């Protein structure tokens, strides 16, 4: 199996045309560079890569950062002027403070200045609602968060790239809410980028974020516009799909055959006219080949989250025949330590930091350890998940705050380790560190559930979001349960206890969740049955107050037990 050497800025060779149709002309090589799940990470973060000396091991590097992304793009464009930069969703949302505190406007400015041409919306592009997404596109200061909007630049000019999605429908009009595709002229070639976001977006976004929108099947929506693109005589069609999968192979393995997850069925169903599929959402790099409906294999590629990896396609195109001759794919490591830097991006980072650093650097607490991680054990429990659930219980335990006895936290809402980078010999954490962990600003919500409903909610963790995958809720002190992986779906939870006593199926309990879960997010629909709903503090405020209260050392991760 071939392995990607991750050579950045290598010279590109142009292949000669084998058949002459009129004057002999070479095929044109077009380079497509994509980033997925960037989430406003303007600064580098830690990333584990295969150890070049022993591939059974990994080493940690500093990767990502908009300065190095800009440097890699500049080198690629020098090597091949026919280079285009695209986004594969979640450029914004769930962002660190340097971007999130400014409504992600620095990120949009940076991507625009790097000449991104098109970005398929991801689910996080809807975090602030569709009206705010439209403001991101068009610009202006009419935001639903005026405390953050236009603090970076006033007025905010909007994105210079185009947000697309072929499967997002305005329920009032029945029309597309966004353009289905964008055709980009790259040198002599016309490349069509057609996009779709995962059809299950409403299950992973708060209801207000997707109000008035309908999300259709990804394959049907993309295939519906392919005939129109063919009539337009485009030279290549690339699908940008914000849905992904996972591979047992490392990101630098080329043409892997181990891809699994929802993207596989999508790839198998997309029209053969699609030459390659660039994906996102699952945050892990892979570079695989999947057969289409005609049986021919094509590239399905994804980079890592936070800009750690850039997807790269090199297309050899015969523009006289509107035909893609070949596609070479690789993931490019964004080496923040040794990679090139873009001075314009450095200026953007410095501008954003000057505004946000006074807030980000405010000390919050001193931990009992250097770092509390969100890494889950075999049962699905994490040290940081325990601490967050405990903080939410502490904030809602008082009768006037809801009288909660249990707190449950969705793992997808824990966005970073605390702090994200080590070593941290002082054990100090700042506002920026905590913001990176919980950037959504969700509201703690206390609801009444019966013991039977709590068990039913725990059963919804399994085969979620799809078969073979789990979303294990993090639980507060005093609450514990055991689940058996060998038991059938719907009957995996064996025991549930509160303070050492079995949960009474008929009794009522006050349970704290965030408003996202309370509204049925992440497919936890049982929580919508909760009664006597009471809103409270922001999750970030509860987390910070809990850390301030004592020198927190994570408890043993023994609240959740897995059998088999």
């Amino acid at each position: 199996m071939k392995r990607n050497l991750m050579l950045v800025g290598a010279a590109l060779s142009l292949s000669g045309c084998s058949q002459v149709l009129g004057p002999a002309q070479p095929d044109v090589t077009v380079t497509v560079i994509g980033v997925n799940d960037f989430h406003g990470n303007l600064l580098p973060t830690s990333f584990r890569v295969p150890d070049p000396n022993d591939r059974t091991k990994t080493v940690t590097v500093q990767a990502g950062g908009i300065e190095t992304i800009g440097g890699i793009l500049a080198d690629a464009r020098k090597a091949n002027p026919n280079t285009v930069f695209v986004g594969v969703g979640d450029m914004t949302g769930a962002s660190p403070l340097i971007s999130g505190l400014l409504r992600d406007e620095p990120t949009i400015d940076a991507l625009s200045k790097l000449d991104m041409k098109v970005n398929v919306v991801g689910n996080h592009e809807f975090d602030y609602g569709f009206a705010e997404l439209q403001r991101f596109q068009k610009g202006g200061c009419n935001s639903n968060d005026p405390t953050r909007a236009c603090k970076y630049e006033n007025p905010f000019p909007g994105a210079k790239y185009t947000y697309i999605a072929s499967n997002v429908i305005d329920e009032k009009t029945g029309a597309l809410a966004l353009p289905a595709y964008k055709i980009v002229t790259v040198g002599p070639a016309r490349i069509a980028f057609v996009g779709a976001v995962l059809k299950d977006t409403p299950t992973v976004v708060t209801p207000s974020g997707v109000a008035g929108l309908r999300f259709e099947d990804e394959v049907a929506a993309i295939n519906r516009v392919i005939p129109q693109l063919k009539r337009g005589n485009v030279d290549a069609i690339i699908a940008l799909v914000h849905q992904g999968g996972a591979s047992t192979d490392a990101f630098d393995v080329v043409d892997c055959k181990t891809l699994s997850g929802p993207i596989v069925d999508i790839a198998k169903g997309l029209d053969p006219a699609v030459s390659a599929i660039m994906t996102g959402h699952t945050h892990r790099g892979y570079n695989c080949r999947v057969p289409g409906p005609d049986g021919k294999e094509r590239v399905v590629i994804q980079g890592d989250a936070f800009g750690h990896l850039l997807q790269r396609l090199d297309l050899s195109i015969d523009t006289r025949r509107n035909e893609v001759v070949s596609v070479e794919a690789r993931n490019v490591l964004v080496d923040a330590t040794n990679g090139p830097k873009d001075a314009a991006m450095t200026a953007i980072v410095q501008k954003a930091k000057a505004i946000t650093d006074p807030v980000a650097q405010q000390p919050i607490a001193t931990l009992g350890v250097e770092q509390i991680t969100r890494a889950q054990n075999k049962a699905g429990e994490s040290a940081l998940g325990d601490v967050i659930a405990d903080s939410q219980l502490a904030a809602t335990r008082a009768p006037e705050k809801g009288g909660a006895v249990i707190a449950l936290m969705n793992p997808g809402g824990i966005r970073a380790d605390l702090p994200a980078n080590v070593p941290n010999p002082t054990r100090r954490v700042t506002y920026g560190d905590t913001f990176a962990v919980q950037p959504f600003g969700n509201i703690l919500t206390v609801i009444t559930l019966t013991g039977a409903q709590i068990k039913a909610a725990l059963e919804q963790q399994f085969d979620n979001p799809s078969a073979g995958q789990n979303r294990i809720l993090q639980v507060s002190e005093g609450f514990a349960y055991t689940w058996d992986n060998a038991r059938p779906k719907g009957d995996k939870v064996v025991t549930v206890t509160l303070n050492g006593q079995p949960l009474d199926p008929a009794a009522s309990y006050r349970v704290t969740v965030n408003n996202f879960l309370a509204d049925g997010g992440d497919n936890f629909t049982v929580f919508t049955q909760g009664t006597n709903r009471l809103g409270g503090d922001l999750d970030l405020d509860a987390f910070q107050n809990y850390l301030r209260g004592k020198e927190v050392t994570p408890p043993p991760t023994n609240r959740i037990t897995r059998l088999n």
Side-chain angles (χ1 to χ4, degrees):
M1 184 175 287
K2 295 181 289 182
R3 291 218 304 264
N4 182 350
L5 299 178
M6 296 181 292
L7 297 176
V8 177
L12 300 175
S13 61
L14 299 176
S15 59
C17 182
S18 59
Q19 183 174 355
V20 176
L21 300 176
Q25 296 179 359
D27 296 340
V28 61
T29 299
V30 171
T31 298
V32 181
I33 293 180
V35 60
N36 60 278
D37 302 284
F38 185 61
H39 291 293
N41 276 260
L42 297 173
L43 298 174
T45 52
S46 299
F47 179 47
R48 298 196 68 81
V49 301
D51 186 336
N53 299 315
D54 182 355
R55 286 187 63 85
T56 65
K57 300 177 182 179
T58 59
V59 295
T60 299
V61 299
Q62 288 296 299
I66 201 69
E67 297 167 87
T68 308
I69 290 174
I72 291 173
L73 281 169
D75 283 355
R77 286 165 173 154
K78 289 177 184 176
N80 181 15
N82 299 325
T83 294
V84 59
F85 181 40
V86 302
V88 199
D90 284 3
M91 295 302 100
T92 55
S95 303
L97 185 142
I98 188 176
S99 183
L101 199 65
L102 300 172
R103 207 54 162 180
D104 278 318
E105 291 173 11
T107 294
I108 296 170
D109 181 39
L111 297 174
S112 296
K113 285 186 167 65
L114 289 178
D115 199 24
M116 177 175 277
K117 294 298 186 184
V118 59
N119 173 47
V120 62
V121 289
N123 49 291
H124 282 283
E125 262 86 15
F126 296 94
D127 280 350
Y128 309 136
F130 188 61
E132 189 73 340
L133 175 58
Q134 291 176 306
R135 185 184 76 88
F136 283 175
Q137 182 72 85
K138 300 175 183 177
C141 298
N142 185 20
S143 169
N144 54 15
D145 190 353
T147 63
R148 296 182 179 182
C150 291
K151 298 300 184 290
Y152 172 77
E153 187 170 356
N154 191 351
F156 172 58
K160 300 300 186 290
Y161 51 89
T162 303
Y163 291 100
I164 64 169
S166 64
N167 64 330
V168 182
I169 308 299
D170 184 324
E171 290 188 314
K172 283 187 178 180
T173 65
L176 286 172
L178 297 163
Y181 61 85
K182 182 174 183 177
I183 298 173
V184 181
T185 300
V186 190
R190 298 174 71 245
I191 313 297
F193 295 95
V194 56
V197 62
L198 67 153
K199 63 184 177 184
D200 294 328
T201 293
T203 71
V204 293
V205 177
T206 54
S208 60
V210 293
L213 301 174
R214 183 174 76 250
F215 292 77
E216 296 186 336
D217 180 78
E218 304 96 335
V219 173
I222 290 175
N223 285 348
R224 189 165 53 233
V225 301
I226 296 299
Q228 182 179 352
L229 295 175
K230 288 179 178 178
R231 290 193 297 270
N233 292 322
V234 297
D235 296 301
I237 302 174
I238 306 297
L240 307 179
V241 182
H242 193 76
Q243 176 60 291
S247 170
T248 56
D249 289 306
F251 66 83
D252 59 345
V253 173
V254 177
D255 296 344
C256 86
K257 307 295 184 185
T258 60
L259 188 61
S260 61
I263 194 60
V264 174
D265 287 338
I266 292 173
K268 288 180 177 179
L270 288 182
D271 191 294
V274 175
S275 295
I277 305 165
M278 304 175 78
T279 77
H281 186 58
T282 50
H283 284 207
R284 290 295 177 265
Y286 50 76
N287 181 7
C288 303
R289 295 233 174 206
V290 176
D294 60 351
K296 295 181 180 180
E297 291 188 335
R298 57 188 159 185
V299 168
V300 181
I301 188 171
Q302 180 170 300
D304 193 79
F306 309 154
H308 295 154
L309 300 173
L310 295 177
Q311 308 175 34
R312 176 167 175 157
L313 305 177
D314 290 303
L315 312 175
S316 180
I317 299 173
D318 185 339
T319 56
R320 296 161 302 171
R321 297 175 181 239
N322 307 126
E323 178 181 309
V324 176
V325 178
S326 66
V327 180
E328 293 184 3
R330 57 191 172 106
N331 275 311
V332 177
L333 175 65
V334 181
D335 185 343
T337 302
N338 302 306
K341 299 293 190 290
D342 183 299
M345 296 301 102
T346 302
I348 288 174
V349 168
Q350 291 175 343
K351 178 179 177 180
K353 280 176 62 64
I355 301 170
T356 60
D357 270 358
V359 177
Q361 293 173 359
Q362 292 175 8
I364 294 295
T366 299
L367 303 178
V369 292
E370 282 195 30
Q371 184 185 54
I372 305 176
T373 75
R374 58 177 179 158
Q376 296 181 348
N377 62 18
K378 182 180 178 182
E381 184 178 357
S382 75
L384 187 53
D386 285 352
V387 171
I388 291 173
D390 288 349
S391 75
Q392 296 183 356
L393 180 61
T396 55
R397 182 182 279 127
E400 67 273 15
K401 290 286 191 176
V405 295
I406 300 167
L408 303 172
M409 175 65 192
N410 56 309
I414 306 172
R415 305 302 296 185
D417 295 332
L418 181 71
N421 292 317
V422 288
N424 177 29
T426 67
R427 296 179 283 113
R428 189 186 75 150
V429 292
T430 65
Y431 185 99
D433 294 326
T434 57
F435 187 97
V437 173
Q438 294 203 280
F440 292 109
N442 286 324
I443 298 170
L444 298 186
T445 306
V446 184
I447 56 178
T448 298
L449 295 171
T450 66
Q453 288 173 320
I454 293 171
K455 181 180 183 298
L458 295 177
E459 296 288 359
Q460 291 186 320
Q461 299 174 116
F462 311 109
D463 288 341
N464 182 358
S466 58
Q469 297 177 299
N470 298 326
R471 284 188 174 120
I472 302 299
L473 295 168
Q474 306 301 291
V475 304
S476 57
E477 183 180 9
F479 185 77
Y481 68 93
T482 298
W483 63 281
D484 189 339
N485 192 48
R487 294 171 72 97
K489 181 180 179 181
D491 191 32
K492 288 183 178 292
V493 178
V494 180
T495 62
V496 187
T497 62
L498 179 61
N499 299 322
Q501 299 300 312
L503 218 61
D504 183 347
S508 294
Y509 301 87
R510 293 291 277 166
V511 180
T512 299
V513 292
N514 57 46
N515 60 294
F516 171 72
L517 283 177
D519 291 334
D522 279 349
N523 295 319
F524 288 101
T525 57
V526 171
F527 292 131
T528 64
Q529 302 170 16
T531 59
N532 301 318
R533 180 167 171 164
L534 177 67
D537 298 336
L538 290 177
D539 53 5
L540 179 60
D541 291 342
F543 185 42
Q544 291 177 340
N545 289 337
Y546 184 78
L547 295 175
R548 288 189 182 103
K550 56 183 177 178
E551 192 173 273
V552 172
T553 298
T557 50
N558 57 7
R559 301 173 184 179
I560 305 172
T561 302
R562 171 180 168 172
L563 306 177
N564 298 307

